[in-house]
Amino acid sequence: MSNTSFAVLTKARAKFGKRLTEKDYTGLLACQSVAEVMSYLKSYTHYSAALRDINERDVHRGRLEAMLRQNLFYEFDSLCRYDSSVSSGFSQYVIETIEVEQIIRFLILLNSNSTEKFIYQFPAYFSKHTEIDIDRLANAKNYEEFLKVLSDSPFYEILKSCSPDEKGRLHISEIENKLYDFVFANLLNIIKKNTKGRERQELTSFFLTINDYNIFSRILRLKKYYNLSPDAIKSNLLLKYSDISPKAIDMMCRAESSAEVFSIMQSTHNGKLIDKIGYVYASDISPRVKYRLARKNMHFSNNPSVVMLSYMFISEIELMNVVSLIEGVRYKLDTKLIQSLLIY
């Protein structure tokens, strides 16, 4: 292992050791206001440096969340500065993922004629890390203007093929699927080109398992909220990057109930993880599986790229926990309900 690779491994594991503990979550759950949550994070956790200049008595929930997301992004950027064999590819993956999130958010607003809200929710820190002209995008009033802004983007050809229908409506789910297909293909190509042996096997297995659970969750969601046909559901899945057999996919898409989808998924190799995690809602399953796999990698993998990526997934989930705590405290939800949403 090179010195730079060892540095990545050591740094990621050191950061992992500073994550929020059960004691921290107990303290945060006892907070009675967003200001108290902020004060605890500043005083007792690894978020203290990121929140040093923020006054907890004046902070707005939205700003606090934005600060924590910015901290997570820069933390990942810091890890990627080490000369890991695939770190630049992971950095590209994170940037492309955020770009897709923002593109989809803009298109949802465009569908509802509410694009004026876009700029107010955009993560300002990200402007320096994307080649998309955010100001021009925020001022686009229709899909044609939107495409002009994205004309130099790697996503342009995909977006060009997804014009509004005769009623002027965009099929957001279809666009989202195509964009993430592009991002995922780039990532796996980077893994294939820059890794080999055990490292490639661990990374590929990690991402395919995560995608399998994303497919499972997406099938449940599309059935419940959109009542799509089996073929329509299948067209909205990233099937090229899955270990689930085509037969099992087809059966889940044609299932008559959520219980049947669960039963089919649990019969697959990766689906057996469902029995090993505790969850309250079906939407919890995918992040809980990701967290379980990432924790396992942190303890047992000796590949720096696997450990680095696993740490970042754990950090993302920890941020989800903090956001859930902030929202729960803000709306005075029952402590037990808030706790049931946390993954740790």
Side-chain angles (χ1 to χ4, degrees):
M1 186 186 298
S2 68
N3 289 335
T4 51
S5 294
F6 182 76
V8 171
L9 193 71
T10 303
K11 190 174 181 68
R13 285 200 165 123
K15 286 178 174 291
F16 175 69
K18 297 178 181 179
R19 69 193 184 283
L20 297 183
T21 64
E22 186 169 355
K23 179 182 176 182
D24 290 322
Y25 284 116
T26 299
L28 288 164
L29 285 164
C31 294
Q32 299 297 309
S33 66
V34 174
E36 285 186 25
V37 172
M38 171 75 169
S39 180
Y40 188 97
L41 292 172
K42 282 182 67 175
S43 301
Y44 303 110
T45 75
H46 64 90
Y47 293 106
S48 57
L51 301 174
R52 183 186 301 117
D53 299 325
I54 305 296
N55 187 328
E56 55 264 39
R57 288 175 295 182
D58 300 327
V59 71
H60 182 272
R61 178 202 60 82
R63 189 181 178 211
L64 175 55
E65 183 179 337
M67 289 290 293
L68 295 177
R69 292 193 183 283
Q70 175 178 310
N71 178 65
L72 178 63
F73 179 85
Y74 286 136
E75 189 171 69
F76 184 80
D77 185 59
S78 173
L79 279 176
C80 284
R81 292 178 190 277
Y82 288 86
D83 191 20
S84 172
S85 59
V86 289
S87 60
S88 61
F90 287 158
S91 180
Q92 177 188 335
Y93 167 71
V94 170
I95 289 172
E96 287 182 346
T97 298
I98 297 175
E99 287 175 336
V100 169
E101 289 173 355
Q102 295 306 313
I103 288 170
I104 294 301
R105 190 169 67 81
F106 178 84
L107 294 179
I108 290 172
L109 292 171
L110 184 62
N111 251 357
S112 59
N113 297 312
S114 306
T115 53
E116 70 280 356
K117 298 177 182 177
F118 176 75
I119 199 65
Y120 298 108
Q121 299 172 358
F122 183 81
Y125 66 86
F126 188 62
S127 298
K128 299 176 182 178
H129 302 275
T130 178
E131 295 183 3
I132 297 174
D133 190 326
I134 300 304
D135 290 331
R136 283 183 64 208
L137 180 59
N139 289 314
K141 301 302 180 186
N142 53 52
Y143 199 71
E144 184 177 350
E145 290 181 9
F146 163 80
L147 283 178
K148 287 181 180 178
V149 176
L150 275 293
S151 60
D152 293 327
S153 162
F155 306 115
Y156 176 72
E157 291 301 324
I158 295 170
L159 295 166
K160 185 180 178 183
S161 69
C162 300
S163 300
D165 61 21
E166 62 277 3
K167 295 181 180 180
R169 304 290 291 177
L170 292 161
H171 297 284
I172 302 295
S173 183
E174 177 186 342
I175 297 172
E176 182 181 26
N177 198 58
K178 289 183 177 180
L179 291 175
Y180 279 118
D181 189 328
F182 175 83
V183 172
F184 216 77
N186 284 347
L187 175 65
L188 292 183
N189 187 51
I190 288 166
I191 291 172
K192 184 177 180 179
K193 285 175 61 178
N194 295 285
T195 64
K196 57 185 178 180
R198 183 69 177 173
E199 182 180 23
R200 180 188 294 179
Q201 180 184 349
E202 286 185 6
L203 286 170
T204 303
S205 176
F206 194 15
F207 277 105
L208 292 185
T209 302
I210 290 170
N211 187 51
D212 283 348
Y213 277 91
N214 288 339
I215 287 172
F216 165 66
S217 297
R218 198 171 179 86
I219 290 172
L220 287 172
R221 188 168 71 252
L222 292 174
K223 279 183 170 292
K224 181 175 181 179
Y225 297 108
Y226 298 95
N227 196 30
L228 298 182
S229 69
D231 288 342
I233 292 173
K234 203 178 295 185
S235 69
N236 280 276
L237 307 175
L238 296 181
L239 298 179
K240 290 187 291 185
Y241 318 108
S242 174
D243 275 337
I244 305 175
S245 71
K247 180 180 178 181
I249 293 287
D250 188 66
M251 288 171 64
M252 283 195 284
C253 291
R254 296 182 184 280
E256 297 293 330
S257 66
S258 294
E260 190 178 348
V261 176
F262 265 86
S263 178
I264 297 165
M265 182 64 182
Q266 287 172 296
S267 71
T268 68
H269 174 71
N270 283 337
K272 290 178 171 56
L273 285 171
I274 293 175
D275 294 329
K276 298 178 181 179
I277 60 172
Y279 66 92
V280 178
Y281 305 104
S283 58
D284 291 346
I285 295 175
S286 186
R288 286 182 186 275
V289 166
K290 182 190 288 190
Y291 183 77
R292 180 185 176 88
L293 294 174
R295 281 288 300 265
K296 181 180 178 181
N297 288 337
M298 290 302 304
H299 290 296
F300 298 110
S301 178
N302 290 316
N303 289 305
S305 59
V306 177
V307 171
M308 178 178 72
L309 194 68
S310 295
Y311 169 71
M312 290 313 302
F313 282 153
I314 288 170
S315 297
E316 286 178 359
I317 291 169
E318 182 179 277
L319 179 55
M320 284 172 49
N321 288 341
V322 172
V323 171
S324 294
L325 278 158
I326 292 170
E327 289 293 301
V329 170
R330 182 189 183 203
Y331 292 108
K332 309 297 182 184
L333 299 182
D334 181 76
T335 301
K336 289 184 178 179
L337 175 59
I338 301 173
Q339 187 173 27
S340 72
L341 301 174
L342 306 181
I343 303 171
Y344 64 94

